Amino acid sequence: MVTVDSLSFGYGKTRLFDGLDLALEPGNIYGLLGMNGAGKTTLLRLLAGLLFPTGGSLSVLGNVPARRSPEFLADIYYVPEEFTLPAITLGRYEKLYAPFYPRFDHALFADCAREFDLDGKKPLNAFSYGQKKKFIVSFALASGARLVLLDEPTNGLDIPSKSLFRRIVARSLSSERIFVISTHQVRDMESLIDPIIILDSGLIAFNQPLMRVAERLSITEEAEDPGEGAIYAEKGVTGFTVVRENVDGSDSTINLEVLFNAVISNRERMGRMFEEGASREDQ
Amino acid sequence: MKINDFFSFRRLWLLVKRDVLGAHRAITLTSLTVMGVYLVISGLLAFRDAHVGFPKFAFELILTLGGMIVTSRSFSELYRPESASLYLTLPASTLEKFVGRFLLLTVGWSAFALAGMIVVSALSQVLNLFLFGQGTGLLNPFDAEIWSRIGMFIVMDTLFLAGALYFRKNHLVKTLLSVVSFFFVLAAVAMFGFFLLFGRGDANYWAGEYTQRIRLMPFFESLKIAAQVFCWSVFPAFWLVFSFFRLKEAQIRNAVQ
């Protein structure tokens, strides 16, 4: 369980977060979306104890991240977007680093390395960017950490590896683990991330499971411009992708890119809509 | 399972093992280079005229200069965001990370330099005796001066450890510049204080028995003892505490702050 309460953080005089609230529950793969500079990486770093909040409170699996206690660090794994690996082989890395993680799953690591086709004889620093990503993701999943934070994990992965990544991540999730994936590559993550968290202007603009999104919204392809009647409309080659309130309970596939744009351009309306829906459900 | 959050010798061992085995290629390459340079220089010295003091000189140079360089670079991974996050999130306490590095850089480095120099000096002695009929001698590990140098190195290294953690780039140069600046200021303050206490504006002030009397003053003896106590305890303790908190409060703000 992760609880963020009235979190404040900034770089110098620039405030990034001011009163950010968030709760993450185990058994989910959260997709963290936001525009460039929205603070996705900063939020992941705060959760990993790599940055210290200036206000509010942050509790990750019962720990205060900024203390960076070994118990906490053994229970989280942060995969940054850019990282360097030492000039040692995969096997030696496993021997040197796995003992730090009491719940490390050697069989899972071997499976992931095999499925990602990682070369066990080559030094890790000689791996390509994509291979390094596959390696570190494999290690993160095998670490047994209950909170796995992945920052742009599909950057640098080739097309077959992206689907393999989705399969391996989905397989590694258990009822007590939380995965948070920060990404701009929403199409890579469709069918994997749920719920969706959208960061905007230093606050959580949206945090909903896809099932609820499908209940509240309908996303359709239409030939004509819907005008004011729609929450959001996006012009495409053949017509318009239109987001409307789902009043008749129809089923539609959720396009994450369109959902993201709809939230960013109609933050207040979307917020109200989901709040009203939630209060109706509570009654 | 509850983990000991404060200090664990197991995790300390894992950290030391990670640091050594993770950098074994760099260590091997550097050691072979230093070894090669030593063999060439000792060969040249033996060829011209046996220089028996060379192993001790080389040891002190490698211990001090090499130690300063290695220590100054020891936390450079912390100042690169792409390596800092993996290091800072490694499941070990700050104390373990700090103690592990400190032991490696002081005790570990001294032992490595001493053992390495004993082996290399023995190897060069055999080679030089065979080639030139004379060698540059062996390094004697039982020489008290060597152990005194190791002690001084460990004390001095605490300052370079602090420099490695404080400065973001060019750790060695910036630490050396800071030390030089500090001593300039200290010398100026000492001279001013000395002038206030003993200055008379008399040209013959420093001459003759008056100077002798001043030299024997108990004040100077106390000052000497205080300086020794300061150098061997307060100075390293201060820099160690400073370095520890610097590491504890390290954050990744695109470069660690």
Side-chain angles (χ1 to χ4, degrees):
Chain A
M1 175 75 181
V2 175
T3 314
V4 180
D5 191 17
S6 301
L7 182 84
S8 302
F9 181 80
Y11 292 101
K13 285 181 184 170
T14 315
R15 307 299 309 155
L16 187 58
F17 301 136
D18 216 348
L20 186 140
D21 298 311
L22 179 68
L24 307 178
E25 296 290 341
N28 290 303
I29 303 175
Y30 288 90
L32 181 61
L33 315 180
M35 291 199 284
N36 291 329
K40 300 185 296 296
T41 299
T42 300
L43 182 59
L44 294 187
R45 285 178 177 174
L46 283 159
L47 293 175
L50 294 168
L51 287 171
F52 306 156
T54 50
S57 67
L58 194 54
S59 167
V60 175
L61 308 165
N63 295 283
V64 176
R67 287 189 193 142
R68 293 202 285 250
S69 69
E71 187 178 10
F72 163 73
L73 295 172
D75 227 355
I76 63 133
Y77 202 100
Y78 170 57
V79 176
E81 188 181 358
E82 300 284 341
F83 56 91
T84 51
L85 292 171
I88 54 176
T89 60
L90 181 148
R92 175 162 276 188
Y93 191 96
E94 186 186 1
K95 273 186 192 149
L96 292 179
Y97 287 79
F100 285 103
Y101 297 90
R103 291 175 293 277
F104 193 87
D105 187 338
H106 292 274
L108 177 62
F109 182 62
D111 283 350
C112 293
R114 197 184 54 249
E115 285 186 60
F116 275 134
D117 198 22
L118 296 172
D119 187 344
K121 289 177 185 156
K122 211 170 166 182
L124 296 173
N125 64 336
F127 276 12
S128 70
Y129 180 62
Q131 285 171 323
K132 282 181 187 167
K133 270 273 158 85
K134 291 177 197 173
F135 167 77
I136 205 75
V137 166
S138 305
F139 195 89
L141 297 176
S143 69
R146 283 188 290 162
L147 176 65
V148 179
L149 307 163
L150 302 154
D151 198 354
E152 297 289 354
T154 53
N155 269 7
L157 295 192
D158 52 33
I159 295 164
S161 299
K162 284 178 182 177
S163 65
L164 193 56
F165 166 82
R166 286 193 292 268
R167 214 165 50 232
I168 289 174
V169 170
R171 200 177 62 198
S172 307
L173 183 72
S174 67
S175 59
E176 56 177 21
R177 298 185 93 177
I178 304 171
F179 294 166
V180 182
I181 301 177
S182 158
T183 188
H184 288 292
Q185 321 291 326
V186 282
R187 287 188 196 279
D188 294 347
M189 297 298 168
E190 273 173 348
S191 79
L192 180 70
I193 50 175
D194 183 13
I196 306 297
I197 301 169
I198 297 176
L199 257 180
D200 186 40
S201 308
L203 292 168
I204 301 293
F206 190 83
N207 182 6
Q208 299 291 338
L210 284 176
M211 208 173 82
R212 192 169 297 151
V213 176
E215 280 169 12
R216 303 270 190 280
L217 300 174
S218 75
I219 300 178
T220 52
E221 297 294 327
E222 295 175 16
E224 300 296 319
D225 186 344
E228 294 297 309
I231 296 170
Y232 175 77
E234 199 174 282
K235 195 175 183 328
V237 181
T238 53
F240 290 83
T241 308
V242 181
V243 180
R244 293 176 193 278
E245 198 166 347
N246 190 359
V247 284
D248 55 1
S250 62
D251 287 335
S252 66
T253 311
I254 302 300
N255 178 330
L256 289 181
E257 225 169 78
V258 173
L259 173 69
F260 176 79
N261 289 334
V263 171
I264 295 296
S265 57
N266 288 283
R267 207 174 117 174
E268 282 179 16
R269 187 173 170 187
M270 291 283 273
R272 267 200 317 272
M273 219 176 80
F274 278 88
E275 269 170 34
E276 281 165 13
S279 52
R280 273 203 304 273
E281 272 175 19
D282 290 343
Q283 284 162 11
Chain B
M1 184 176 60
K2 184 74 187 159
I3 296 176
N4 175 6
D5 265 352
F6 182 65
F7 195 86
S8 143
F9 282 103
R10 181 185 163 271
R11 285 195 301 263
L12 181 69
W13 168 240
L14 290 174
L15 284 167
V16 170
K17 204 164 80 168
R18 166 201 173 267
D19 280 352
V20 174
L21 296 178
H24 75 284
R25 280 176 199 225
I27 294 170
T28 311
L29 270 175
T30 312
S31 304
L32 287 174
T33 309
V34 171
M35 194 174 159
V37 171
Y38 182 93
L39 289 176
V40 170
I41 295 175
S42 71
L44 288 171
L45 288 170
F47 176 68
R48 289 190 62 187
D49 184 17
H51 193 295
V52 175
F54 181 63
K56 200 161 137 185
F57 168 76
F59 169 71
E60 286 175 7
L61 187 75
I62 287 165
L63 177 77
T64 314
L65 189 65
M68 274 158 52
I69 295 168
V70 171
T71 302
S72 295
R73 292 172 55 87
S74 62
F75 281 99
S76 51
E77 70 182 318
L78 207 57
Y79 287 93
R80 292 190 301 263
E82 63 273 19
S83 55
S85 56
L86 292 181
Y87 176 68
L88 288 174
T89 56
L90 204 58
S93 68
T94 307
L95 185 63
E96 289 153 2
K97 286 175 184 168
F98 182 71
V99 171
R101 280 283 160 92
F102 176 68
L103 287 177
L104 265 180
L105 296 166
T106 53
V107 180
W109 175 255
S110 304
F112 181 68
L114 185 63
M117 203 46 70
I118 291 169
V119 172
V120 178
S121 68
L123 185 68
S124 85
Q125 183 73 356
V126 172
L127 274 172
N128 291 333
L129 281 175
F130 178 70
L131 292 171
F132 311 113
Q134 60 181 353
T136 50
L138 296 166
L139 182 72
N140 176 14
F142 302 107
D143 184 342
E145 211 179 318
I146 282 188
W147 292 99
S148 156
R149 286 281 185 277
I150 289 176
M152 283 160 70
F153 162 71
I154 291 174
V155 167
M156 184 202 69
D157 209 39
T158 55
L159 176 67
F160 285 86
L161 189 69
L165 278 158
Y166 185 75
F167 297 114
R168 289 172 179 226
K169 288 177 183 173
N170 306 314
H171 316 278
L172 178 62
V173 175
K174 284 179 181 170
T175 308
L176 286 172
L177 282 175
S178 307
V179 171
V180 170
S181 311
F182 172 76
F183 277 108
F184 268 121
V185 173
L186 189 69
V189 169
M191 277 174 71
F192 184 66
F194 206 78
F195 175 76
L196 285 180
L197 284 171
F198 307 107
R200 297 271 176 89
D202 182 353
N204 296 320
Y205 178 66
W206 298 107
E209 60 172 350
Y210 194 65
T211 310
Q212 192 65 20
R213 249 188 286 152
I214 285 179
R215 194 178 295 146
L216 296 173
M217 271 173 69
F219 169 74
F220 283 95
E221 281 304 311
S222 310
L223 201 66
K224 193 179 155 193
I225 293 166
Q228 281 179 339
V229 170
F230 177 81
C231 287
W232 289 98
S233 57
V234 180
F235 178 86
F238 173 79
W239 291 119
L240 286 176
V241 171
F242 172 87
S243 307
F244 171 76
F245 281 104
R246 185 77 188 161
L247 179 62
K248 191 174 171 58
E249 285 158 17
Q251 296 185 64
I252 303 181
R253 303 168 82 100
N254 288 321
V256 173
Q257 282 180 358

